[in-house]
Amino acid sequence: MKRFLKYLLITLIVTTVFLCCFSMYIGNFMFNYVLNPHYENNISTKIKSNEQVTINNQQWLNHNSIKISIQSEDQLTLNAYYIKNNSHNYMILVHGFMSSAASMVSPAKRMMKNNFQLIIPDLRGHGLSEGDYIGMGWVDKNDIMKWIEYITLKDSQASIVLYGISMGGSAVMNVAGENPKNVKAVIEDCGFTSAWDIFSSQLKEYGKMENFILYTSTFMTYLRAGYNLKEASSINQVKKTNIPILFIHGSSDDFVPLSMMYELYENTSSPKEKLVIENAGHADCNGTNARLYYSTIENFLKKYL
């Protein structure tokens, strides 16, 4: 009996150690694959992009803006492109996951015509900004607050609009929940309800392993980046905002489900509007129906600026 109990104890210890090591391995792998911009084989290798368009957009930014930088709360140097104009109206344009400021050139050109001064950041871990992990719109919230501070220190009369696409959309909703006083309106395009939810929606194919991967990933994210995927919740942020929000989403978005936009809209406590662009895929609403897209944005902003 004693020998049996001894073997049972050894088996339990070995099994526990194995499960802990396996969990750490899975969590670390998922963190590197999804949230580590410097990992050689991260998810960016699976994301389709038009390299020539990116090059052209970056050249346009270099020619039409000046580079500026700030220090984040954790002492990272964050880069942005500043396009000046003779106005007290400012717009911060926030790009999406594994992208950069160059992806925001199309709306930037349009907003220049509407007499906005523009700040187009590279989010931490993207473009020219420093950072060892991706903030999923949550840590980025604090960085965007720093850009708002940058604007208000140079112009106390500034009226600021936040505009974000995909992860950038979630980032600007997260900022809205902090109710910074100079921010007059928010435009979010295809943002997600929470980091946990978007991870979950992409892991459905793993069946019973989904929750295991989610919990190990959020544990490792907390260890390595200081936040967990559940707390990174735009749903909770829009519940407490008083800033008007325009929600935009494509009916054919196969990455961030359209249902997330409706959930965000229903939970928003401030003045709100929504626009669904028919047949638009993820982050392609302005490309699918530019006339409706920009006319809706411009009509929305006229009410609050």
Side-chain angles (χ1 to χ4, degrees), residues 65 72 89 179 195 235 251:
S65 68
S72 68
N89 290 339
N179 292 306
I235 281 282
S251 68

Side-chain angles (χ1 to χ4, degrees), residues 42-101:
N42 65 30
I43 197 172
S44 67
T45 61
K46 306 292 184 183
I47 298 173
K48 296 179 181 179
S49 62
N50 189 319
E51 186 175 349
Q52 189 56 52
V53 169
T54 301
I55 292 171
N56 292 343
N57 285 350
Q58 188 61 57
Q59 290 174 343
W60 185 91
L61 271 181
N62 293 340
H63 181 72
N64 290 280
S65 68
I66 59 172
K67 289 188 181 72
I68 57 175
S69 64
I70 57 171
Q71 294 295 116
S72 68
E73 291 180 348
D74 50 349
Q75 302 307 303
L76 297 177
T77 299
L78 303 177
N79 176 72
Y81 300 85
Y82 177 30
I83 300 176
K84 293 184 177 182
N85 212 326
N86 294 320
S87 171
H88 292 296
N89 290 339
Y90 294 77
M91 182 175 286
I92 301 176
L93 299 98
V94 187
H95 66 78
F97 179 80
M98 288 286 184
S99 189
S100 70

Side-chain angles (χ1 to χ4, degrees), residues 21-39:
C21 291
F22 181 67
S23 298
M24 293 289 285
Y25 172 80
I26 293 297
N28 197 55
F29 171 80
M30 289 301 295
F31 180 90
N32 282 329
Y33 183 62
V34 180
L35 299 179
N36 183 351
H38 308 300
Y39 184 59

Side-chain angles (χ1 to χ4, degrees), residues 151-189:
I151 292 170
T152 55
L153 285 174
K154 69 188 291 294
D155 185 353
S156 61
Q157 300 180 60
S159 294
I160 302 171
V161 174
L162 305 180
Y163 168 45
I165 295 178
S166 191
M167 187 179 80
S170 292
V172 298
M173 285 188 284
N174 292 335
V175 175
E178 304 304 308
N179 292 306
K181 66 178 183 178
N182 288 74
V183 174
K184 305 303 181 184
V186 168
I187 302 157
E188 82 82 20
D189 181 341

